[in-house]
Amino acid sequence: MRVPYPVGLPGVARRRTLGIEDGRLAALEAAPAGTAPIRGVAVLLPGFTGSKEDFIPLLSPIAAAGYRVIAYDQRGQYESPGPDRDSDYSIALFARDLREVIGAVGNGEPVHLVGHSFGGLVARNLVIAEPALVRSLTLLDSGPAGASLLRARAGPAHRAHPPQRAGSFCGPGGTGVPLDRCSGGPAALVAPPARAHPAGRPDRDVPGVVTRTRSRR
């Protein structure tokens, strides 16, 4: 008999509510069991027609690897209430919500960010604007809008010297330090082993590491 999806919450996870300027966001949180040290924080953003429950199968393995992990419904999505005006659903406001979530759960440190589909667009918008908030970025089946945002910010000089192919380098939009010099973070748990980045020294961590993987949905 097949188990209905989404499956129930694992024992290491709990439901919580995150307070932001425009209201409250429903979230799932998991952490390493017992007194195991926490290696970092991962924040997971679902796609447009999805919800935080899409990430339930990832909560246990990420927590077991030593990370505190938070997945949340974005404004107006599933269990998170949203404003009535259409203008209150801009990418900039979704990214502002994400910035507030990172401020609430990140303990003052950069977080590992995972975005699926539309969640990836929101995540990349924040990474481009404020890369210091993010230690790594993992994109799951997300479109190319982040690259157009980078071109718009950089202007004509960027168009004259376009970045290398996305996925080849760290940094917003796939520019910067080669991936073999970046630390992996929880991206290694959701990417095939051949695509995982080797862990680097803390002083070699680069905000905004871009990793592309395929979702199984």
Side-chain angles (χ1 to χ4, degrees):
M1 181 171 131
R2 299 183 62 183
V3 177
Y5 184 83
V7 297
L9 282 182
V12 297
R14 67 184 180 99
R15 296 185 181 273
R16 64 171 294 185
T17 301
L18 303 169
I20 60 169
E21 180 179 337
D22 287 349
R24 295 183 175 275
L25 301 175
L28 302 176
E29 179 178 17
T35 59
I38 296 179
R39 300 174 58 190
V41 176
V43 178
L44 316 182
L45 283 78
F48 185 77
T49 60
S51 74
K52 61 190 179 303
E53 281 73 19
D54 292 344
F55 294 112
I56 286 179
L58 299 181
L59 298 181
S60 288
I62 293 178
Y67 294 90
R68 180 179 171 215
V69 54
I70 295 91
Y72 70 92
D73 293 329
Q74 301 186 75
R75 57 171 62 201
Q77 186 177 46
Y78 190 32
E79 295 181 321
S80 291
D84 293 329
R85 299 183 303 177
D86 291 347
S87 60
D88 289 329
Y89 290 91
S90 67
I91 285 286
L93 290 177
F94 281 110
R96 188 182 75 180
D97 293 346
L98 174 58
R99 183 189 308 110
E100 293 184 40
V101 169
I102 292 174
V105 305
N107 300 318
E109 298 291 333
V111 303
H112 298 281
L113 202 52
V114 179
H116 173 230
S117 190
F118 176 74
L121 303 184
V122 175
R124 282 183 294 187
N125 185 280
L126 182 67
V127 169
I128 290 169
E130 301 185 57
L133 296 179
V134 180
R135 186 175 300 278
S136 70
L137 171 63
T138 300
L139 304 177
L140 304 171
D141 287 349
S142 193
S148 63
L149 286 170
L150 181 62
R151 287 195 296 271
R153 284 174 56 86
H158 181 274
R159 287 191 290 273
H161 302 282
Q164 299 293 325
R165 184 178 57 182
S168 298
F169 291 85
C170 306
T175 64
V177 179
L179 285 181
D180 59 6
R181 293 182 56 195
C182 301
S183 61
L189 297 173
V190 295
R195 301 291 297 278
H197 307 320
R201 298 195 310 270
D203 63 346
R204 293 172 71 180
D205 286 347
V206 178
V209 175
V210 177
T211 301
R212 290 189 170 184
T213 66
R214 294 182 179 274
S215 84
R216 296 185 177 181
R217 294 187 62 195

